[in-house]
Amino acid sequence: MATALTLLILLISVAYLYSHTTKRIPTRLRADQAPKSEFGVVPVDGFGSRCHADGLDIIFVHGLGSNPDTTWLARKTKTKLEATHDEEYVCWVSDILPEDIPAAVRQDIRVFFYNHDSFWQRDAVQTRLSNLGRGFLHRIRAKIRQTEEERHRGLLFVGYSYGGLVIKQALIQANSDERFADIIGHTKAVFFLGTPHRGSSFTRWGTLIARALQPIGSNPSILAELAYDSVSLFDLHREFVKVTGYGLRVVKVVNFFEERKTSVLKLWFIQWGAFCVPEQSATYEGTYIQNIGLSVDHYGLNKFGSKSAEYKMVRSKLLETITPFTSRRRDHIYSVPLETVYNYIDREKLSPAIEEKLRTFHKNSSVPHALAIYGLGGTGKTQLALKYIKDHKDDYNPILWIDAKDSETVRSSFERCTIELQLSVDGASTQGPNLADSAAVQAVLRWLRDRKESDDEWLVVVDNADDVTWGIKQILPKGERGNIIITTQDDQAPRLVNGECEKLRVDKMELLEARALLLQHLEWDADSAPQHVQRMCDTIVERLDYLALAIDLAGAYIRNDSNQEAALKQYLVDYGKHQDELLQSDNFRGLSMYDKTVWTVWDTTLEKIEREYPEVRPGLFLAFLAHINRGTFQKEMFRLASLGLSVVKKILDGEHQVFPHWLKQLIKLDEEEWDSFYYRKALEPLTRYSLLQGVEGEWPGVTMHSLVQWRAMKYEEDEPWSLWCLKFILAASYQISMEEARPQFRRYMVTHLPDRTSLSQSHLDDMQLDDKKKTFVWNTIGKVYYEDGRWKEAEELFVQVMETSSRVLGQEHPSTLTSMANLASTFWNQGRWKEAEELEVQVMETSSRVLGQEHPDTLTSMANLASTYRNQGRWKEAEKLQAKELETCSRVLGQQHPDTLTSMANLASIFRNQGRWKEAEELFVQVMETRKRVLGQEHPDTLTSMANLASTFWNQGRWKEAEELEVQVMETRKRVLGQEHPDTLTSMANLASTYRNQGRWKEAEELEVQVMETRKRVLGQEHPSTLTSMANLASTFWNQGRWKEAEELEVQVMETRKRVLGQEHPSTLTSMANLAHTWTLQGRIDEALVLLGQCVELQKDIIGSDHPDTKNLLKALNKWRVEKATLQESSADLLAAPSQDSQPAE
């Protein structure tokens, strides 16, 4: 009984130990333990995918029981710099080998893994070598040798260990089975990596283990076949040599064998190893046999973690085998009559873009890969295409070039292609009226169309496809193996391709590219050229506006001089004085990559569009824009001009024709609205051929290259362009002054206004404009400047208006008085109160005497003068004059008249300036309530009165009441006027100021940043309102103790105001005082005292010592001086808190 129990315990223990020992052996019946890779023939990424009959397929076969996921993986070998704690693995077949095979060879090679299930340890498939060989053949046939082309491809097998035996077995079976004759017939080589031709010394141990594992489903029989010097292996080898090394069929064999023993046991310093497949088993002799040892053990024969010496040996033998085979393919057909020029400069962004776009596959198009390279003539499109061909010469066969300049050049190009393709064509039938019916064209198109998947991809470049009207679409090649590049000035060229076509716009060169091109002509480069030479080159290419054609011609011109550095300097001088002659000269055209000059490059296009669009005359339209254009020309200009033209016509032309018919069509009115039909129609061919480039955004329009502008200005030079442009600008300027809905455009409008020379007395005399017309011109343009805050420019024009009106109409004429008031207003906005006052007094007194004291113009002049008094701090005089005007308005116009209400608001403002808050509040409330009732709650004047009342609450510290009104005003203006209207932005700034005074810094900052950024975008960075918003934001930073940020903004505001408004402008002085105060808080008291001292002296000179602002600044200056003296006498900290009088404010 005890013996039985002991035996039972022993059996249980053995069973437990067996289970525990074998449970780590994976089973392929469980998805989580089975290989992730699929079994069978699996393609390897990184190689070619084309399956033409001349290609080669390489199949890698793993060893006995290997895991397909890891059999070819090795731990990545790293340098010291790359060392990390993380292990990385590489598959040398897919990660390393592809980059070492030349692209021209690689594109013809397909590579596969053959993954077979020969796992023998657990739940094994009960298979044997003959079954594995037969399965290999069937999978090759089903996966990669289905079509006729595939069955003619060469085969190269790489077998690791037992995988080599599978290859041998498969080839023997293929030799005796007609179904697989093409496989043995097209096998070119077999590489054996440690294949046990005579068996393995490890088989004995493996067989014992397999038998021990039989309870869990092992397969000992598959190992038994590997017994060393077994009869089955002897027979297998004999048959393999017979089918691969005799007769006409000779297969190259390379045997790689291990030169290091495989470690079997390691215990401390004692280790035992053995050769898994010794040299005598891994090699054999023969005529076409190579035997090569590698200094690795058996498990290193198929695993390379880097480009080691062993890897390089295997790679070299692979290349040695496959390169001669792939080079036997037919020669490439290359029919390109041009080549890239010696001084070609690569376009860093464009060249990669061409490659990327040509890789895009369009399944449903007439050609799967198509690209239109389009852009202005002279930008280098053809050279870009040639550079792509040069870089990818081995990727296509054939490569054909079609010159599509006209039907004749196309015909001759196709005839050349028939010769290159060796196509038989009846010479008599190549001529004919219809190019598409030409025998040469049809032969080439048919040949390209008939290329199959097994053939090379072809590439056809259709160059200079600028004119598509003669039927170029009919002769564009089609075919599933096709690639097409079209170079053209026409942005509609992609529509030539049936289906989808990629587009790439070519524009001006980048600075570095343009400089390099010019330096190439001078035989310099960026490294060798002196800095002063590079600077001169930069100046030249900038003046040529980075146009490749112009730079290339300039380089050829300069290179003609032996002293090229002196020639650079001379070219700059000559270009400034003789631009026309240099750009028109064709003396050096033959030395350039182009066969045209800047003068001629766009001639064909201009002639074509003029011919095709006679009703809108696009060539003349381009010339008109060239004469008027400064940068971007917005569509809005035409809308404004169309609406303002009637006034201009009435004043300047009377019943005479203002514009020629084609220009009148462009600004035609349709029921008081601009009809943009003809404008769009004239624009279409110009943008289509890149003579103009569209500009999107809030104010869409067009822009043109500066050399296109130069060329267009030479077009029809006898036309009165200056007069047409002036009248057009006048019409747009007049209209924009009448419109309040979208004042933001004024900023763009200003860029198109005539320069000082064009508005001079003599120039206008040349246009035969009398004095009345001149004053209209100056006054209309001056108003645009004035409304944009450009008061200096407005002043110059208003002075001319006033002087001419005084001379022609007399000093007391109403028009003269109006011009004087306008000029006074520009003085007022520049803070030149004395000059403004002198003119306003003169206007008021003359108006009183001539028009009467109750005339509206007289009352306006009184209000203007009162406003000037107020700005000088002369509150009593201002109040007296304003009260008088209000009393007269009330009596003459009535208490509810808009002018009366404006007068009341002005008086309330004077009260507010004096700190008489209650009186100001009562008047503002009266104005607001009356305007609400008379004009409505959302009228702009009503909203202004609400904002004024809020300002009074603000001054009284009644922040909540002020905030409520300001929020209401802001929201209403956003809805009624729009979020970017100047009045809306002002209301947002007012609300931010209220937040700031409540200590709500973040809310104030958010609003002020929004206002500032919007004003920068809408009004411009130097507009007075933009500078005000920047100063307000600085004030918010200041209140949060963010002195550095405040200082940066204040310096920027001050410097800009000095430059734009002048050093003596009140706003400039305010910014100086703000900056000085910030410096005091940073401890920079000496700098602050100097700056504030300058500010005080300027204030005294400009507005006098008695002005409240001057007194406040003087008070602050004296306080700082005392505090500095105190600091010098004791160690106390300077300025714990600023005085209220010197706190920044706008």
Side-chain angles (χ1 to χ4, degrees):
M1 184 69 179
T3 304
L5 181 61
T6 302
L7 184 59
L8 178 62
I9 292 172
L10 181 61
L11 288 173
I12 293 173
S13 299
V14 170
Y16 174 78
L17 183 61
Y18 184 87
S19 174
H20 185 74
T21 305
T22 60
K23 71 178 183 180
R24 294 186 179 180
I25 300 174
T27 173
R28 294 190 173 179
L29 297 180
R30 289 180 52 176
D32 60 329
Q33 295 180 12
K36 302 297 183 291
S37 301
E38 63 178 296
F39 288 109
V41 179
V42 179
V44 178
D45 294 335
F47 294 90
S49 60
R50 297 184 300 193
C51 56
H52 55 74
D54 297 315
L56 179 71
D57 293 333
I58 304 176
I59 305 176
F60 287 79
V61 185
H62 64 73
L64 180 66
S66 296
N67 184 341
D69 295 341
T70 59
T71 189
W72 304 102
L73 288 183
R75 185 180 289 110
K76 183 178 181 181
T77 306
K78 299 181 179 179
T79 64
K80 290 183 178 180
L81 294 174
E82 295 176 322
T84 63
H85 295 296
D86 299 327
E87 295 290 353
E88 291 184 48
Y89 292 85
V90 293
C91 174
W92 67 276
V93 179
S94 60
D95 298 334
I96 302 177
L97 185 61
E99 65 186 42
D100 286 344
I101 299 178
V105 176
R106 190 172 66 243
Q107 68 179 354
D108 297 319
I109 295 174
R110 299 189 301 177
V111 176
F112 303 90
F113 291 130
Y114 177 60
N115 301 329
H116 54 88
D117 192 355
S118 57
F119 185 66
W120 54 269
Q121 297 174 14
R122 184 179 201 139
D123 297 324
V125 177
Q126 299 302 306
T127 188
R128 57 187 184 276
L129 186 58
S130 59
N131 291 344
L132 290 171
R134 190 177 300 106
F136 187 21
L137 290 175
H138 282 288
R139 283 174 171 80
I140 292 175
R141 162 71 72 237
K143 187 75 175 183
I144 63 172
R145 297 186 79 80
Q146 291 183 312
T147 67
E148 188 66 27
E149 288 82 4
E150 286 180 320
R151 286 194 287 273
H152 281 82
R153 290 175 66 82
L155 288 168
L156 187 157
F157 295 98
V158 180
Y160 167 63
S161 193
Y162 185 80
L165 299 181
V166 174
I167 295 169
K168 292 169 74 172
Q169 181 68 52
L171 292 177
I172 292 169
Q173 292 173 340
N175 187 61
S176 61
D177 192 331
E178 190 63 33
R179 293 174 300 171
F180 306 115
D182 62 282
I183 294 178
I184 183 64
H186 288 86
T187 297
K188 307 302 177 183
V190 181
F191 281 33
F192 294 111
L193 306 176
T195 294
H197 299 296
R198 294 176 59 185
S200 169
S201 59
F202 280 23
T203 303
R204 181 169 62 254
W205 299 103
T207 304
L208 290 174
I209 294 171
R211 287 174 180 165
L213 295 177
Q214 276 185 304
I216 60 172
S218 67
N219 182 9
S221 63
I222 199 169
L223 286 164
E225 294 178 319
L226 294 176
Y228 199 81
D229 277 342
S230 66
V231 174
S232 60
L233 288 180
F234 178 80
D235 290 341
L236 178 74
H237 185 67
R238 184 180 58 191
E239 287 300 313
F240 174 72
V241 171
K242 185 184 298 183
V243 301
T244 59
Y246 291 103
L248 297 175
R249 183 191 301 141
V250 176
V251 176
K252 178 180 179 180
V253 173
V254 182
N255 292 306
F256 292 95
F257 61 90
E258 63 215 60
E259 293 182 328
R260 294 184 187 276
K261 293 180 179 180
T262 300
S263 179
V264 178
L265 178 66
K266 187 173 183 180
L267 184 64
W268 291 296
F269 59 89
I270 302 173
Q271 68 176 25
W272 174 61
F275 287 105
C276 183
V277 180
E279 180 181 353
Q280 61 268 28
S281 178
T283 63
Y284 65 94
E285 297 299 326
T287 307
Y288 298 101
I289 314 300
Q290 296 181 38
N291 298 310
I292 301 170
L294 299 178
S295 57
V296 294
D297 64 13
H298 186 72
Y299 297 105
L301 288 169
N302 66 327
K303 299 177 186 294
F304 305 112
S306 65
K307 295 184 180 182
S308 61
E310 291 72 28
Y311 162 78
K312 289 178 180 177
M313 176 57 71
V314 175
R315 179 197 63 188
S316 68
K317 290 301 173 183
L318 279 170
L319 287 174
E320 182 183 294
T321 305
I322 64 180
T323 301
F325 175 77
T326 55
S327 66
R328 287 199 295 269
R329 294 180 54 218
R330 64 184 180 277
D331 293 335
H332 276 63
I333 299 172
Y334 185 81
S335 179
V336 180
L338 306 175
E339 60 182 26
T340 51
V341 290
Y342 77 94
N343 60 333
Y344 178 82
I345 297 298
D346 196 24
R347 309 290 285 271
E348 198 169 293
K349 294 178 181 177
L350 295 175
S351 291
I354 292 175
E355 297 199 15
E356 179 185 349
K357 290 179 181 294
L358 275 175
R359 283 196 296 268
T360 303
F361 181 79
H362 298 298
K363 182 177 180 181
N364 298 319
S365 296
S366 57
V367 283
H369 305 278
L371 169 65
I373 304 175
Y374 73 99
L376 185 66
T379 52
K381 301 180 292 296
T382 297
Q383 289 296 315
L384 273 168
L386 287 168
K387 179 62 166 58
Y388 178 81
I389 289 175
K390 180 180 178 182
D391 291 344
H392 297 269
K393 192 172 183 179
D394 294 328
D395 295 345
Y396 305 100
N397 186 27
I399 298 176
L400 307 177
W401 188 276
I402 306 297
D403 184 353
K405 190 182 302 178
D406 53 47
S407 59
E408 286 309 309
T409 59
V410 169
R411 188 189 304 275
S412 62
S413 297
F414 272 98
E415 289 171 356
R416 182 189 71 248
C417 291
T418 60
I419 296 171
E420 295 288 349
L421 295 172
Q422 298 180 10
L423 301 178
S424 177
V425 177
D426 182 3
S429 62
T430 59
Q431 303 297 320
N434 191 348
L435 182 61
D437 295 333
S438 162
V441 172
Q442 286 298 315
V444 173
L445 294 182
R446 184 167 51 251
W447 190 92
L448 294 172
R449 186 178 62 246
D450 290 345
R451 297 304 92 194
K452 300 177 182 178
E453 187 178 351
S454 59
D455 293 312
D456 291 327
E457 293 185 37
W458 49 261
L459 171 64
V460 173
V461 178
V462 182
D463 188 38
N464 291 321
D466 301 327
D467 186 356
V468 300
T469 57
W470 51 264
I472 188 174
K473 185 180 177 73
Q474 300 174 37
I475 57 91
L476 215 61
K478 302 176 178 65
E480 63 180 33
R481 303 300 291 160
N483 296 260
I484 289 181
I485 296 176
I486 302 170
T487 71
T488 177
Q489 295 182 42
D490 188 349
D491 69 358
Q492 296 300 308
R495 296 170 62 182
L496 293 171
V497 178
N498 291 330
E500 296 182 75
C501 177
E502 297 296 305
K503 296 172 67 172
L504 179 65
R505 179 183 179 82
V506 180
D507 211 332
K508 300 185 287 188
M509 301 184 86
E510 299 289 337
L511 170 60
L512 295 180
E513 296 168 349
R515 179 202 297 164
L517 175 57
L518 190 53
L519 286 172
Q520 280 271 40
H521 276 285
L522 309 181
E523 298 180 354
W524 268 321
D525 57 36
D527 296 325
S528 62
Q531 286 298 313
H532 69 280
V533 169
Q534 295 195 41
R535 285 193 294 271
M536 281 193 289
C537 288
D538 289 353
T539 303
I540 290 174
V541 299
E542 181 183 3
R543 293 190 183 178
L544 297 173
D545 206 3
Y546 309 103
L547 184 71
L549 162 64
I551 297 165
D552 196 56
L553 288 169
Y557 177 89
I558 295 167
R559 188 178 185 180
N560 188 54
D561 196 310
S562 57
N563 187 344
Q564 293 174 357
E565 190 172 328
L568 274 173
K569 296 178 183 177
Q570 189 61 50
Y571 186 87
L572 283 170
V573 174
D574 291 346
Y575 192 83
K577 297 178 180 179
H578 307 287
Q579 179 189 22
D580 290 359
E581 290 86 344
L582 285 175
L583 294 180
Q584 292 180 39
S585 172
D586 65 353
N587 294 341
F588 298 92
R589 180 162 53 89
L591 301 177
S592 164
M593 69 174 81
Y594 299 91
D595 62 351
K596 297 176 181 177
T597 68
V598 180
W599 177 255
T600 62
V601 68
W602 302 302
D603 281 357
T604 304
T605 305
L606 282 170
E607 291 168 5
K608 168 182 159 47
I609 60 177
E610 276 286 288
R611 184 174 66 251
E612 292 182 8
Y613 298 84
E615 70 280 11
V616 290
R617 303 299 303 275
L620 290 172
F621 178 39
L622 181 69
F624 177 71
L625 292 180
H627 282 85
I628 209 170
N629 178 49
R630 291 184 180 89
T632 301
F633 194 90
Q634 296 80 11
K635 179 181 178 181
E636 176 72 359
M637 287 288 291
F638 279 86
R639 186 192 71 83
L640 291 169
S642 70
L643 296 172
L645 183 61
S646 59
V647 174
V648 172
K649 179 180 178 182
K650 182 178 179 182
I651 295 174
L652 294 189
D653 293 274
E655 296 303 318
H656 299 293
Q657 184 82 343
V658 182
F659 290 132
H661 176 73
W662 62 268
L663 187 50
K664 282 179 67 177
Q665 290 280 79
L666 297 174
I667 50 178
K668 184 179 179 182
L669 279 181
D670 180 18
E671 297 182 0
E672 305 306 316
E673 289 292 331
W674 175 45
D675 180 0
S676 64
F677 174 78
Y678 289 102
Y679 166 83
R680 287 181 281 112
K681 196 169 182 181
L683 207 60
E684 190 272 328
L686 297 173
T687 54
R688 177 175 174 177
Y689 290 97
S690 300
L691 294 166
L692 294 175
Q693 290 83 48
V695 177
E696 300 301 322
E698 182 183 10
W699 307 103
V702 291
T703 185
M704 73 175 75
H705 192 280
S706 63
L707 293 182
V708 173
Q709 184 177 9
W710 166 82
R711 179 63 182 89
M713 289 179 73
K714 305 298 178 186
Y715 192 69
E716 302 287 350
E717 288 184 276
D718 294 336
E719 299 288 0
W721 297 110
S722 296
L723 183 60
W724 289 346
C725 291
L726 177 63
K727 291 177 179 180
F728 180 88
I729 291 294
L730 282 174
S733 299
Y734 178 85
Q735 184 61 27
I736 200 171
S737 297
M738 297 294 104
E739 294 186 4
E740 295 185 1
R742 303 179 79 189
Q744 301 95 319
F745 183 68
R746 195 177 294 113
R747 171 191 172 193
Y748 301 92
M749 177 81 191
V750 165
T751 63
H752 299 296
L753 297 180
D755 56 27
R756 188 176 300 178
T757 303
S758 301
L759 294 173
S760 66
Q761 182 103 16
S762 59
H763 190 75
L764 297 182
D765 283 338
D766 292 341
M767 294 186 184
Q768 299 180 346
L769 300 181
D770 59 28
D771 290 325
K772 179 183 177 182
K773 294 175 182 177
K774 288 177 196 168
T775 57
F776 173 75
V777 171
W778 293 325
N779 198 52
T780 303
I781 303 298
K783 279 184 180 179
V784 178
Y785 279 130
Y786 178 88
E787 289 160 355
D788 194 53
R790 307 274 288 270
W791 296 306
K792 272 291 181 189
E793 291 91 335
E795 178 190 341
E796 292 179 6
L797 293 171
F798 286 160
V799 165
Q800 293 190 76
V801 174
M802 184 188 73
E803 291 176 349
T804 304
S805 296
S806 297
R807 175 171 49 80
V808 176
L809 303 174
Q811 291 203 351
E812 296 184 350
H813 191 278
S815 296
T816 304
L817 297 176
T818 298
S819 66
M820 293 170 70
N822 290 341
L823 181 58
S825 186
T826 63
F827 291 152
W828 190 93
N829 279 288
Q830 294 175 76
R832 293 156 61 183
W833 314 121
K834 287 296 179 188
E835 294 166 275
E837 179 187 345
E838 289 174 7
L839 274 177
E840 287 168 345
V841 166
Q842 187 178 345
V843 170
M844 183 186 72
E845 291 176 349
T846 306
S847 296
S848 297
R849 186 175 68 256
V850 175
L851 304 175
Q853 291 201 355
E854 297 180 351
H855 192 278
D857 289 354
T858 304
L859 297 176
T860 299
S861 66
M862 292 170 67
N864 289 341
L865 181 57
S867 179
T868 300
Y869 286 154
R870 185 169 75 244
N871 279 282
Q872 295 177 78
R874 294 157 63 182
W875 313 123
K876 290 299 177 187
E877 294 168 274
E879 180 184 344
K880 181 180 178 182
L881 193 57
Q882 191 64 61
K884 181 179 179 183
E885 193 233 353
L886 174 59
E887 185 275 327
T888 307
C889 284
S890 299
R891 187 179 71 254
V892 175
L893 304 174
Q895 293 216 347
Q896 295 186 0
H897 192 278
D899 290 352
T900 305
L901 296 175
T902 299
S903 181
M904 290 173 69
N906 289 341
L907 182 57
S909 294
I910 294 171
F911 288 155
R912 184 179 60 199
N913 287 129
Q914 297 177 77
R916 294 157 64 181
W917 315 122
K918 285 297 177 189
E919 294 167 275
E921 181 181 342
E922 288 173 6
L923 276 179
F924 278 140
V925 168
Q926 185 180 345
V927 171
M928 180 184 72
E929 295 299 335
T930 306
R931 282 178 170 166
K932 280 183 177 179
R933 189 175 65 254
V934 175
L935 303 175
Q937 293 214 3
E938 295 188 347
H939 191 280
D941 290 348
T942 305
L943 297 174
T944 298
S945 62
M946 292 169 69
N948 288 336
L949 179 57
S951 180
T952 304
F953 290 154
W954 190 94
N955 281 285
Q956 297 176 72
R958 294 157 64 182
W959 312 122
K960 284 297 176 188
E961 293 168 275
E963 181 184 342
E964 287 175 9
L965 270 178
E966 287 166 347
V967 168
Q968 187 179 346
V969 171
M970 181 184 72
E971 294 300 335
T972 307
R973 281 177 170 165
K974 281 182 178 179
R975 189 177 66 255
V976 175
L977 302 175
Q979 294 214 0
E980 296 188 346
H981 192 281
D983 291 351
T984 306
L985 297 175
T986 298
S987 63
M988 291 169 69
N990 290 342
L991 179 57
S993 183
T994 301
Y995 287 153
R996 187 169 63 239
N997 280 281
Q998 296 177 76
R1000 294 158 64 180
W1001 314 122
K1002 286 299 176 189
E1003 292 167 277
E1005 182 180 340
E1006 286 175 9
L1007 269 179
E1008 286 166 346
V1009 167
Q1010 188 179 346
V1011 170
M1012 179 183 72
E1013 294 301 332
T1014 306
R1015 281 177 169 165
K1016 280 182 179 179
R1017 189 177 68 255
V1018 173
L1019 303 175
Q1021 296 216 4
E1022 296 187 347
H1023 192 279
S1025 297
T1026 305
L1027 298 175
T1028 297
S1029 62
M1030 293 170 68
N1032 288 341
L1033 180 58
S1035 181
T1036 299
F1037 290 153
W1038 187 95
N1039 279 285
Q1040 296 177 76
R1042 294 158 64 181
W1043 316 124
K1044 256 299 180 199
E1045 292 167 276
E1047 181 194 356
E1048 288 173 5
L1049 273 178
E1050 287 168 345
V1051 168
Q1052 189 178 346
V1053 170
M1054 182 184 72
E1055 296 300 334
T1056 307
R1057 281 176 169 169
K1058 280 182 179 179
R1059 188 177 68 256
V1060 175
L1061 303 176
Q1063 186 161 336
E1064 298 181 348
H1065 193 280
S1067 296
T1068 306
L1069 299 179
T1070 299
S1071 60
M1072 291 170 67
N1074 289 344
L1075 179 58
H1077 197 93
T1078 300
W1079 281 348
T1080 64
L1081 294 169
Q1082 294 175 297
R1084 297 159 64 181
I1085 188 67
D1086 291 329
E1087 295 170 88
L1089 286 171
V1090 171
L1091 185 59
L1092 193 63
Q1094 294 174 359
C1095 189
V1096 169
E1097 293 305 316
L1098 288 169
Q1099 286 273 52
K1100 287 179 180 178
D1101 293 341
I1102 297 165
I1103 57 178
S1105 300
D1106 295 330
H1107 193 283
D1109 289 350
T1110 308
K1111 291 178 179 179
N1112 287 336
L1113 286 179
L1114 193 56
K1115 181 180 176 182
L1117 181 61
N1118 291 331
K1119 180 179 178 182
W1120 293 355
R1121 285 170 175 164
V1122 169
E1123 288 172 335
K1124 180 186 176 185
T1126 303
L1127 180 64
Q1128 290 171 341
E1129 292 172 6
S1130 66
S1131 300
D1133 289 337
L1134 177 64
L1135 279 179
S1139 65
Q1140 186 66 28
D1141 289 336
S1142 59
Q1143 186 170 347
E1146 284 287 330

